[in-house]
Amino acid sequence: MNLNKGNLFAAIPGDISEELFTGLAHGQGTRIERIVSRGQASPASGWYDQADNEWVVVLQGEAQLEFENSAAVHLRAGDYINIPAHMKHRVAWTKPESETVWLAVHYS
């Protein structure tokens, strides 16, 4: 196994026209990724419907998630949420004036 060292706040481009997804680690039904957003939201017509559970934490910035048939959830730095598999959700809003940095753990 190789050591893999990095910084979650490094290598963020100045222009983020689309959300940036960076895989950090994976193995045995688990995937960890960094997501960087700046004003992005999911398309109004679409929902994420993932086969795996997703635990996500906002490390920097703010975001609002919407869940089908549920109330919206506002997340600030330090807030986390566990989203069960097949719970339809989308990103309604991310802070437009600065980056929102997420850490997501997808697991079966």
Side-chain angles (χ1 to χ4, degrees), residues 53-56 67 80-85 87 105 107:
N53 303 298
E54 180 180 10
W55 180 90
V56 65
F67 295 88
Y80 65 87
I81 191 165
N82 191 62
I83 304 168
M87 178 174 269
V105 178
Y107 64 98

Short mmCIF file of all heavy atoms in Angstrom, two decimals, residues 53-56 67 80-85 87 105 107:
data_model
loop_
_atom_site.label_atom_id
_atom_site.label_comp_id
_atom_site.label_asym_id
_atom_site.label_seq_id
_atom_site.Cartn_x
_atom_site.Cartn_y
_atom_site.Cartn_z
N ASN A 53 -24.80 4.47 0.07
CA ASN A 53 -25.00 5.51 1.09
C ASN A 53 -23.93 6.58 0.88
O ASN A 53 -22.85 6.30 0.34
CB ASN A 53 -24.82 4.91 2.49
CG ASN A 53 -25.75 3.76 2.74
OD1 ASN A 53 -26.97 3.89 2.73
ND2 ASN A 53 -25.18 2.58 2.95
N GLU A 54 -24.22 7.81 1.33
CA GLU A 54 -23.23 8.88 1.23
C GLU A 54 -23.23 9.69 2.52
O GLU A 54 -24.25 10.25 2.92
CB GLU A 54 -23.54 9.80 0.04
CG GLU A 54 -22.55 10.93 -0.11
CD GLU A 54 -22.86 11.86 -1.28
OE1 GLU A 54 -23.95 11.74 -1.86
OE2 GLU A 54 -22.00 12.69 -1.60
N TRP A 55 -22.07 9.73 3.16
CA TRP A 55 -21.86 10.60 4.32
C TRP A 55 -21.06 11.78 3.81
O TRP A 55 -20.03 11.61 3.14
CB TRP A 55 -21.08 9.85 5.40
CG TRP A 55 -20.81 10.67 6.63
CD1 TRP A 55 -21.62 10.76 7.73
CD2 TRP A 55 -19.66 11.47 6.91
NE1 TRP A 55 -21.04 11.58 8.66
CE2 TRP A 55 -19.84 12.04 8.18
CE3 TRP A 55 -18.50 11.79 6.19
CZ2 TRP A 55 -18.91 12.89 8.77
CZ3 TRP A 55 -17.57 12.63 6.77
CH2 TRP A 55 -17.78 13.17 8.04
N VAL A 56 -21.55 12.98 4.04
CA VAL A 56 -20.89 14.17 3.51
C VAL A 56 -20.76 15.23 4.61
O VAL A 56 -21.65 15.38 5.45
CB VAL A 56 -21.64 14.71 2.27
CG1 VAL A 56 -23.02 15.19 2.61
CG2 VAL A 56 -20.86 15.80 1.57
N PHE A 67 -34.29 17.32 -0.46
CA PHE A 67 -34.63 15.90 -0.52
C PHE A 67 -36.05 15.77 -1.04
O PHE A 67 -36.93 16.54 -0.65
CB PHE A 67 -34.49 15.26 0.86
CG PHE A 67 -33.08 15.25 1.36
CD1 PHE A 67 -32.56 16.33 2.05
CD2 PHE A 67 -32.25 14.17 1.08
CE1 PHE A 67 -31.24 16.34 2.48
CE2 PHE A 67 -30.94 14.17 1.50
CZ PHE A 67 -30.44 15.25 2.21
N TYR A 80 -22.45 17.88 8.95
CA TYR A 80 -22.43 16.67 8.13
C TYR A 80 -23.81 16.07 8.10
O TYR A 80 -24.69 16.38 8.91
CB TYR A 80 -21.40 15.66 8.64
CG TYR A 80 -21.70 15.09 10.01
CD1 TYR A 80 -22.52 13.97 10.15
CD2 TYR A 80 -21.18 15.68 11.15
CE1 TYR A 80 -22.80 13.45 11.40
CE2 TYR A 80 -21.45 15.16 12.41
CZ TYR A 80 -22.26 14.05 12.53
OH TYR A 80 -22.54 13.55 13.77
N ILE A 81 -24.01 15.19 7.11
CA ILE A 81 -25.28 14.50 6.96
C ILE A 81 -25.01 13.13 6.33
O ILE A 81 -24.08 12.98 5.53
CB ILE A 81 -26.27 15.33 6.09
CG1 ILE A 81 -27.67 14.73 6.14
CG2 ILE A 81 -25.76 15.50 4.68
CD1 ILE A 81 -28.75 15.67 5.62
N ASN A 82 -25.78 12.15 6.73
CA ASN A 82 -25.69 10.82 6.15
C ASN A 82 -26.92 10.62 5.27
O ASN A 82 -28.05 10.72 5.74
CB ASN A 82 -25.64 9.75 7.24
CG ASN A 82 -25.29 8.40 6.67
OD1 ASN A 82 -24.21 8.21 6.12
ND2 ASN A 82 -26.20 7.46 6.78
N ILE A 83 -26.69 10.34 4.00
CA ILE A 83 -27.78 10.18 3.04
C ILE A 83 -27.87 8.70 2.67
O ILE A 83 -26.96 8.16 2.05
CB ILE A 83 -27.52 11.04 1.78
CG1 ILE A 83 -27.30 12.51 2.17
CG2 ILE A 83 -28.67 10.88 0.79
CD1 ILE A 83 -26.76 13.37 1.06
N PRO A 84 -28.96 8.04 3.06
CA PRO A 84 -29.10 6.61 2.73
C PRO A 84 -29.18 6.38 1.22
O PRO A 84 -29.62 7.26 0.47
CB PRO A 84 -30.42 6.23 3.40
CG PRO A 84 -30.67 7.28 4.43
CD PRO A 84 -30.07 8.53 3.89
N ALA A 85 -28.78 5.20 0.81
CA ALA A 85 -28.87 4.81 -0.61
C ALA A 85 -30.29 5.03 -1.12
O ALA A 85 -31.26 4.79 -0.39
CB ALA A 85 -28.46 3.35 -0.77
N MET A 87 -32.03 7.60 -1.49
CA MET A 87 -32.79 8.77 -1.03
C MET A 87 -32.53 9.88 -2.04
O MET A 87 -31.41 10.38 -2.14
CB MET A 87 -32.39 9.21 0.37
CG MET A 87 -33.16 10.45 0.82
SD MET A 87 -32.82 10.89 2.54
CE MET A 87 -34.13 9.98 3.33
N VAL A 105 -18.04 10.54 1.61
CA VAL A 105 -17.69 9.13 1.76
C VAL A 105 -18.88 8.32 1.26
O VAL A 105 -19.96 8.37 1.84
CB VAL A 105 -17.37 8.76 3.23
CG1 VAL A 105 -17.04 7.28 3.36
CG2 VAL A 105 -16.24 9.63 3.78
N TYR A 107 -20.40 4.66 0.61
CA TYR A 107 -20.17 3.30 1.14
C TYR A 107 -21.40 2.44 0.94
O TYR A 107 -22.52 2.91 0.86
CB TYR A 107 -19.78 3.37 2.63
CG TYR A 107 -20.85 3.93 3.54
CD1 TYR A 107 -21.67 3.07 4.26
CD2 TYR A 107 -21.06 5.29 3.67
CE1 TYR A 107 -22.67 3.56 5.09
CE2 TYR A 107 -22.05 5.79 4.49
CZ TYR A 107 -22.86 4.94 5.19
OH TYR A 107 -23.86 5.43 6.00
#
